[in-house]
Amino acid sequence: MKTAEEVKSVEMFNLADDLRELQEKKALLQEELKDVNGQIKDTTGLLSEQMINHEIQNFNRNGRLFYLTTQQYISAVASMREQLHETLREKGFGDLVKEAVHPQTLRAFVREQIEENDDEVPGWLDGLVSVYEEDQVRIRK
């Protein structure tokens, strides 16, 4: 007969095995999702090419409407971001420029402030940041 301590250990080890299996399953699913997204992109390209070649804007198939559209993607050139911001301000579009603090930078800063304030969020940050803790179990190979 197993002792209570042995039963707890078995339960803990079973949960550890479950966690490892779930993380492995997640990794496989992420890889599969990456593959499926690639297939979707390739198939979309081929289908849109066919529709353009046949001058077809849309069609119905198996109760679904397929239609051709063009999506425009625009982003700032990384090395020119500050120049873009400056130019937007000069041209009267400064309201488009948003200041931001990177989440990891904010996390590190708030941690420092908490450490320097007896493990409490300083009053001047109260209500401006959300701080919560979550217990986690990590696995290494």
Side-chain angles (χ1 to χ4, degrees), residues 4 15 28 34 37 44 46 63 72 75 78 94 100 102 120 128 132:
L15 287 170
L28 290 172
K34 184 178 171 184
N37 282 335
T44 298
L46 292 170
Q72 190 174 48
S75 63
H102 192 279
E120 296 288 330
L128 300 176
Y132 73 96

Side-chain angles (χ1 to χ4, degrees), residues 75-135:
S75 63
V77 175
S79 63
M80 298 299 291
R81 188 162 308 199
E82 288 304 316
Q83 179 65 38
L84 171 64
H85 292 179
E86 185 178 317
T87 302
L88 287 169
R89 287 185 192 102
E90 287 172 1
K91 298 294 183 182
F93 302 105
D95 58 323
L96 293 175
V97 180
K98 306 291 183 219
E99 288 188 54
V101 179
H102 192 279
Q104 290 178 342
T105 303
L106 179 62
R107 181 175 60 193
F109 172 75
V110 172
R111 281 182 180 166
E112 288 174 8
Q113 295 302 305
I114 289 171
E115 286 175 12
E116 293 173 8
N117 195 48
D118 297 322
D119 292 330
E120 296 288 330
V121 175
W124 62 273
L125 279 174
D126 196 30
L128 300 176
V129 296
S130 171
V131 178
Y132 73 96
E133 293 180 353
E134 182 178 282
D135 293 326

Side-chain angles (χ1 to χ4, degrees), residues 34-53 59 61 66-69:
K34 184 178 171 184
D35 292 343
V36 169
N37 282 335
Q39 291 174 23
I40 288 171
K41 184 175 181 176
D42 293 345
T43 303
T44 298
L46 292 170
L47 180 57
S48 63
E49 186 178 304
Q50 288 287 317
M51 291 174 72
I52 291 168
N53 290 342
F59 63 90
R61 172 91 171 141
F66 293 79
Y67 60 97
L68 192 58
T69 184

Side-chain angles (χ1 to χ4, degrees), residues 2-15:
K2 292 184 181 181
T3 67
E5 201 58 39
E6 289 173 328
V7 169
K8 288 179 187 176
S9 292
V10 169
E11 290 174 10
M12 184 176 63
F13 292 152
N14 286 339
L15 287 170

